[in-house]
Amino acid sequence: PAHILGWAGRPLGCHHWMGEEAYDAERGAQLSPTGAMTHRAPVMCCAISPADAPVAHIASGSDDGTCLLWDRRTNRVLHELRDHTAEVKRLRFSPTGRFLASTSGDRRVLLFDCRDGGASQFAALQGHEDFTFDVAWDHEERFVVSASHDMTVRRWAPDAT
């Protein structure tokens, strides 16, 4: 059976809520303290880093253009990423969990380095003529592919160093 991560009066997806506190019913604990970072619009996507990732993350993306990076062991928000200028469509961790890719209505694919618990953007991939709605990593993390409503699939080879 599925475990309920939280419950509140107004669910917005990925077990995050707007303006209310999320609650872990199994542990009997609040997911984030009052005043913690939350999305301010519906949550449209989420992703979980691989089990053997350097840091255990959950990422959530919202119509407010933000991504939240959560510690999946403590259920606390670690970082709020405000790099997109339109709604976030998709989030995808790389196979090792070192990197996170996000797509958006702003037509960009953004790549973040999530090693050591950080979340620093290292690439903004631009070239689509309509919003990007999907992204995938190759198994060796050397390139990503993105899909867009401009009817193209693009391959990108960013330098993550």
Side-chain angles (χ1 to χ4, degrees), residues 101-157:
S102 62
T103 67
S104 172
D106 65 11
R107 302 186 241 175
R108 298 181 301 155
V109 176
L110 302 183
L111 304 180
F112 299 90
D113 187 334
C114 297
R115 293 177 281 193
D116 303 321
S120 58
Q121 184 188 133
F122 68 88
L125 309 176
Q126 300 181 52
H128 283 293
E129 296 177 9
D130 204 342
F131 70 78
T132 56
F133 64 88
D134 203 4
V135 65
W137 292 87
D138 85 297
H139 293 290
E140 295 176 349
E141 300 178 344
R142 290 182 297 178
F143 65 89
V144 296
V145 292
S146 59
S148 169
H149 270 256
D150 66 8
M151 298 184 281
T152 64
V153 174
R154 293 180 184 257
R155 179 181 167 166
W156 313 87

Side-chain angles (χ1 to χ4, degrees), residues 47-50 57-59 69 91-95 97 99-101 114 137:
I48 300 172
S49 63
H57 286 128
I58 296 172
L69 197 59
L91 296 166
R92 185 85 43 126
F93 281 101
S94 65
F99 307 115
L100 175 68
C114 297
W137 292 87

